[in-house]
Amino acid sequence: MRRLAGLLLAGAVTAAGTGCSALSGDEEPPVTGTVTFWDTSNETEAPFFNQLVAAFEKEYPEIDVTYVNVPFFEARQRFLDAAADGRAPDVLRADVGWTAGFVADGLLADLTGTVAEPDPQDFLENTVAGVTFDGAVHGVPQVTDTLALLYNKALFEEAGLTRPPRDWTELRDYALTVKEETGAEGIVLNTDAYYALPFLYGEGTDLVDPASRTITVAGGPAVRGVTTAAGLVSSGAAPVPPAEDAYSAMQSAFKKGEAAMMINGPWSVADAQDGTAFRGTGNLGIAPVPAGSTGIAGSPTGGHSLVISADSRHPAAAALFTAFMTATEQQEKAAVALDLLPARKAAYSETVLADPVRNAFYFAHTKSVARPPLAETARMFGIFQEHYTAVLRGETSPEAGLDATARTWRDELLTGWIIPAS
């Protein structure tokens, strides 16, 4: 992994954070070069980020940026393929879950000491942790997100409920009350392994403990958490999720008013508000995820960062571009224009927090938990999802599903790691 330290003058650090010109007078020559930027934002967001690229080129005319919008679900593999062929883009908008794998493969530049290096003090808790490995920094958080409880205020009122549930037991009781009083489903669940994490965090545990190289997903606390999730289905509080595309089924039922609650992120809000249950109303409620039996509530830290290829031909230009695109001013603009959640603390201006959705997710983010920085994370989640789906559908027990998950991880991905005795 290449270090970019010392490539840019100190004056550029201030410039990137404020939007002012990086150079003054004739003291230093301007940074020049070309930057290819792969943006993984969706079709609604892409025009905005393309406009930011144009603003950068106007401010830094010596740098030419080629903007390429790459579909999110194709981007990780396309980046890997391009890097193998020596054609990786200079800058990629990467999901936080991809970074560890890219670093392990030596594909990302170390931004330590450059104009792009993020100061953890300037960012929300846990965001910079997702791009920091062994003391080296391999990206700059651009947006963050977390999961929260979304609920239908009208269905709550019809069922006589006056506030969101505080823990999973109360959520189950709420869901059953809604079902009895309104005929709607109480809560709909997603089988994606990412959505299982709040149930584990609520029991004070995680998938693994990297410090001790221990696989904890089959331990007692994790079993309790997943048993809680499975109990929502077995009790009738939630319907049996479909074996495939459970996310779409969940989102559809919620936005139509066929279910009172779901656990989801800020990316789902615009679509939900376009549904018949929420369009043109203030009917959408948002609260932090409920707590587990420990009294702890926790939700995974997600989001996107800008990373620079280790093989960038113009690393100084790429670093300056990355600093500009992730600066406070740009993050604040993106929040207002696209309802994204900024990663920088200073971007939470009065204007940003005036929106109830952004305000609610900002509060929900206080319960966020950093995910273990493992290169194997993507494959681990795929294996976990298979077993978690079976558990929620009643096809296997939480104990058996989590034990199978842990053993497969140890045999195929985490060789030498420990699975504690039950």
Side-chain angles (χ1 to χ4, degrees):
M1 285 147 308
R2 294 182 189 161
R3 296 176 65 92
L4 303 181
L7 289 172
L8 297 172
L9 63 159
V13 176
T14 302
T18 62
C20 299
S21 175
L23 302 171
S24 58
D26 297 323
E27 297 177 1
E28 297 285 348
V31 176
T32 62
T34 60
V35 174
T36 298
F37 171 45
W38 281 13
D39 176 27
T40 58
S41 62
N42 62 36
E43 60 184 11
T44 301
E45 300 166 349
F48 173 83
F49 289 115
N50 202 4
Q51 290 173 9
L52 289 187
V53 170
F56 172 82
E57 289 184 309
K58 182 177 181 180
E59 187 158 340
Y60 300 99
E62 299 85 2
I63 301 175
D64 180 58
V65 180
T66 299
Y67 174 90
V68 182
N69 186 250
V70 180
F72 173 78
F73 291 106
E74 300 176 10
R76 177 178 173 274
Q77 189 58 52
R78 285 178 61 173
F79 181 79
L80 290 172
D81 293 342
D85 293 339
R87 299 179 293 101
D90 298 279
V91 180
L92 170 72
R93 183 180 189 257
D95 181 271
V96 295
W98 303 345
T99 310
F102 290 162
V103 172
D105 290 340
L107 303 181
L108 301 184
D110 178 4
L111 306 184
T112 305
T114 74
V115 65
E117 180 184 6
D119 182 348
Q121 300 293 329
D122 294 341
F123 289 78
L124 294 183
E125 189 176 3
N126 298 324
T127 54
V128 176
V131 294
T132 304
F133 305 90
D134 296 326
V137 184
H138 295 279
V140 186
Q142 183 193 42
V143 298
T144 188
D145 59 56
T146 195
L147 295 174
L149 175 69
L150 279 62
Y151 63 97
N152 185 314
K153 293 180 181 178
L155 287 175
F156 267 40
E157 183 177 359
E158 187 178 346
L161 306 173
T162 58
R163 59 168 175 78
R166 296 191 176 104
D167 57 42
W168 294 115
T169 299
E170 192 171 52
L171 181 144
R172 181 198 61 202
D173 295 342
Y174 272 35
L176 291 171
T177 299
V178 166
K179 190 171 184 178
E180 181 178 352
E181 297 296 330
T182 73
E185 298 288 354
I187 184 169
V188 276
L189 300 176
N190 186 10
T191 57
D192 190 299
Y194 185 76
Y195 288 71
L197 293 177
F199 293 99
L200 271 62
Y201 296 158
E203 300 304 321
T205 191
D206 207 330
L207 303 174
V208 296
D209 177 10
S212 63
R213 293 173 63 84
T214 301
I215 298 172
T216 55
V217 74
V223 170
R224 286 196 297 274
V226 172
T227 297
T228 295
L232 294 175
V233 179
S234 62
S235 68
V240 177
E244 297 181 2
D245 204 11
Y247 179 89
S248 294
M250 174 184 72
Q251 183 76 4
S252 176
F254 182 74
K255 73 185 213 179
K256 292 177 181 177
E258 297 171 356
M261 293 178 280
M262 71 172 177
I263 303 296
N264 218 336
W267 57 83
S268 71
V269 171
D271 181 58
Q273 290 179 323
D274 193 45
T276 54
F278 304 101
R279 190 181 299 127
T281 71
N283 193 31
L284 179 64
I286 303 173
V289 296
S293 65
T294 62
I296 299 170
S299 188
T301 305
H304 294 83
S305 303
L306 295 195
V307 299
I308 298 177
S309 168
D311 294 324
S312 172
R313 295 182 179 180
H314 298 102
L320 188 57
F321 174 75
T322 297
F324 177 91
M325 294 292 286
T326 58
T328 297
E329 181 180 352
Q330 274 59 262
Q331 293 200 14
E332 181 179 1
K333 288 178 180 178
V336 173
L338 304 173
D339 285 328
L340 298 176
L341 208 61
R344 287 186 180 270
K345 297 175 183 177
Y348 285 91
S349 62
E350 290 185 10
T351 301
V352 170
L353 291 176
D355 177 78
V357 172
R358 293 193 293 265
N359 198 313
F361 272 102
Y362 178 58
F363 179 62
H365 203 278
T366 63
K367 309 295 183 182
S368 69
V369 177
R371 287 179 281 166
L374 297 176
E376 300 85 0
T377 296
R379 294 176 63 193
M380 288 169 61
F381 268 66
I383 293 166
F384 184 20
Q385 180 168 334
E386 177 185 351
H387 297 292
Y388 184 57
T389 299
V391 169
L392 292 184
R393 288 176 54 79
E395 297 165 355
T396 190
S397 68
E399 292 86 353
L402 295 180
D403 183 68
T405 298
R407 292 180 183 280
T408 304
W409 286 357
R410 184 190 60 187
D411 294 344
E412 298 183 7
L413 302 175
L414 303 177
T415 304
W417 284 53
I418 300 168
I419 301 176
S422 302

